[in-house]
Amino acid sequence: MGFAYGDGEFMFRFVPIFIAVVFVIVFGTILVRSVKGISQWHKNNESPVLTVPARIVTKRTAVHQYTNGAGPDTVTNDTSTTYFATFEVESGDRIEFPVKGTEYGMLAEGDRGRLTFQGTRYLGFERDRSVG
């Protein structure tokens, strides 16, 4: 008997291939992101720790909301906030780092001080104690 859509043969051939393709895409994405993360972590570890004069140019947040419809009457909403601070160094270059929420609250735009970082890893900011 030839290929016919009505006898279900199409689904028995198509569905396993579709599932395999989706699995490869998902697994490949996870693998690529993991390799990039490990590579950046290693690069940061190999970079020198630098402390340079800097000024806080701006701060921003990125809020992500996740909705999970677990059932017809159950919806859970979760949010996460990522905090960022942008610093300008003496050369005029600007560098943005993700920072912890507690650190974010202590930073004020316009503050001058000493920025410590390692590669793309923010290590701290010590505000100048002198006024004016």
Side-chain angles (χ1 to χ4, degrees), residues 11 14 40 45 51 94 131:
M11 292 304 288
F14 176 74
Q40 186 64 56
N45 286 343
T51 300
R94 293 183 177 194
V131 178

Side-chain angles (χ1 to χ4, degrees), residues 5-101:
Y5 286 101
D7 63 5
E9 184 179 335
F10 173 76
M11 292 304 288
F12 283 112
R13 290 181 184 212
F14 176 74
V15 171
I17 293 170
F18 178 76
I19 291 172
V21 168
V22 169
F23 176 78
V24 168
I25 290 171
V26 170
F27 183 73
T29 301
I30 292 169
L31 184 64
V32 167
R33 286 182 178 234
S34 296
V35 168
K36 282 184 177 181
I38 291 169
S39 174
Q40 186 64 56
W41 177 81
H42 180 71
K43 186 176 177 183
N44 283 342
N45 286 343
E46 297 295 318
S47 297
V49 174
L50 300 175
T51 300
V52 298
R55 175 176 66 94
I56 301 172
V57 178
T58 188
K59 301 181 344 179
R60 71 178 181 93
T61 59
V63 179
H64 302 282
Q65 184 172 9
Y66 306 96
T67 303
N68 179 12
D73 299 327
T74 308
V75 175
T76 57
N77 291 316
D78 293 320
T79 59
S80 67
T81 304
T82 306
Y83 301 91
F84 297 92
T86 302
F87 299 87
E88 184 175 83
V89 297
E90 287 182 322
S91 67
D93 292 331
R94 293 183 177 194
I95 310 167
E96 182 180 68
F97 294 103
V99 298
K100 294 180 182 176

Side-chain angles (χ1 to χ4, degrees), residues 98-112:
V99 298
K100 294 180 182 176
T102 52
E103 184 89 13
Y104 180 86
M106 299 298 291
L107 300 173
E109 291 180 11
D111 278 357
R112 294 182 180 275

